[in-house]
Amino acid sequence: MAKLYFRYGAMNSGKSTALLQAAFNYEERGHRVLIAKPAKDTRGDRQIVSRLGVTRNVDFLVEAGESLREAFARHSAAVGGVSCLLIDEAQFLTRAQVDDALRIALIDGVPVLAYGIRTDFLTEAFPGSARLLEVAHSLEELKTICRCGRKAIFNSRQVNGRFVFDGAQVAIDGDSVTYESLCGACYLEESGGMLGATTLVG
C-alpha cells in the first residue's frame, strides 16, 4: 500500500535538499517522479531551491482552490505515469489538498512525500501542516540547530533585522523579511516570553 509521508522541520533543516535527494534516488533506479509545490510559495518561482545551491524546476504548481488529485492525474498521464509525487513547501497546501494527497496514496497507489514546516513565526500551525500531522502515515522530523547549539523548533521572523511577533502568517516577498530557526528558550527570550499571536493580521 502506498503511503503519505510528512517530513517536517524548522527552516533551514534541509527539507528541500532531502526532497531533491529523494527525487534523485527514484530516478537513479529508473523511476519517474513528479515534483510540485503550492503556487503561494513565490520564492524561486517554479523552482525548488536548496540552501546547498541545488535547484530543480517543479513539474507543476498547485493553486489554492485547485484539486491536487486532478492536477496530479493530468500531469501523471502526460508523462505516462509516475512512481512518486514529491511536494515542497507542503505547509501552504489547503486541508482539502492534503486530503487529496492521501487519496493519491490510497486510491491511486502512488506514494506522496510532503516536505514543509509545522508552524509559522508565531508558533501556530499552518493549515496544510496541521492536516498532514493528522492524516499522514509517517511523520519524520528533519532537525537543525539554533544559534545557541540546541535543537531549533521554532521559526522567527525579522523585518529589517529586528524580530517581529505580529503580522500576516505568510510574508515571503521582500528583501527586508528574513527568518531564523530558534530553540524554544531563544524564541521566548526574543519574544519577551510570548508564544502565539495576540492578534494575527491577514
Side-chain angles (χ1 to χ4, degrees), residues 16-47:
S16 296
T17 302
L19 181 152
L20 293 171
Q21 181 66 55
F24 177 84
N25 290 346
Y26 269 96
E27 292 170 338
E28 186 181 41
R29 291 160 178 79
H31 294 275
R32 188 185 298 274
V33 303
L34 285 178
I35 300 177
K37 74 172 183 174
K40 192 171 192 174
D41 177 35
T42 56
R43 291 174 302 168
D45 296 321
R46 296 183 63 91
Q47 286 190 323

Side-chain angles (χ1 to χ4, degrees), residues 16-188:
S16 296
T17 302
L19 181 152
L20 293 171
Q21 181 66 55
F24 177 84
N25 290 346
Y26 269 96
E27 292 170 338
E28 186 181 41
R29 291 160 178 79
H31 294 275
R32 188 185 298 274
V33 303
L34 285 178
I35 300 177
K37 74 172 183 174
K40 192 171 192 174
D41 177 35
T42 56
R43 291 174 302 168
D45 296 321
R46 296 183 63 91
Q47 286 190 323
I48 307 295
V49 181
S50 162
R51 287 190 305 131
L52 298 182
V54 180
T55 62
R56 177 168 171 167
N57 288 335
V58 299
D59 296 293
F60 65 99
L61 297 174
V62 186
E63 299 293 339
E66 184 177 22
S67 164
L68 174 62
R69 191 174 179 216
E70 290 176 4
F72 169 76
R74 284 196 309 274
H75 290 275
S76 178
V79 298
V82 298
S83 297
C84 183
L85 171 63
L86 299 109
I87 304 171
D88 198 31
E89 304 295 350
Q91 70 271 9
F92 295 139
L93 295 174
T94 65
R95 290 178 66 88
Q97 288 167 343
V98 173
D99 290 348
D100 273 344
L102 184 63
R103 292 184 185 99
I104 290 168
L106 295 179
I107 299 173
D108 303 323
V110 177
V112 180
L113 282 60
Y115 296 78
I117 58 178
R118 287 184 307 169
T119 58
D120 63 20
F121 74 111
L122 297 171
T123 72
E124 297 185 351
F126 287 93
S129 301
R131 189 62 176 152
L132 281 160
L133 289 168
E134 291 167 345
V135 302
H137 294 92
S138 174
L139 302 173
E140 178 186 349
E141 183 181 17
L142 304 177
K143 298 176 179 65
T144 190
I145 60 169
C146 177
R147 61 192 180 194
C148 70
R150 291 181 287 235
K151 186 177 86 167
I153 58 172
F154 294 133
N155 306 296
S156 65
R157 179 184 292 171
Q158 297 180 38
V159 176
N160 296 319
R162 296 184 59 190
F163 288 98
V164 297
F165 297 92
D166 59 35
Q169 186 173 51
V170 180
I172 296 173
D173 299 321
D175 294 334
S176 64
V177 178
T178 59
Y179 292 88
E180 182 181 351
S181 301
L182 297 175
C183 70
C186 288
Y187 184 94
L188 286 175

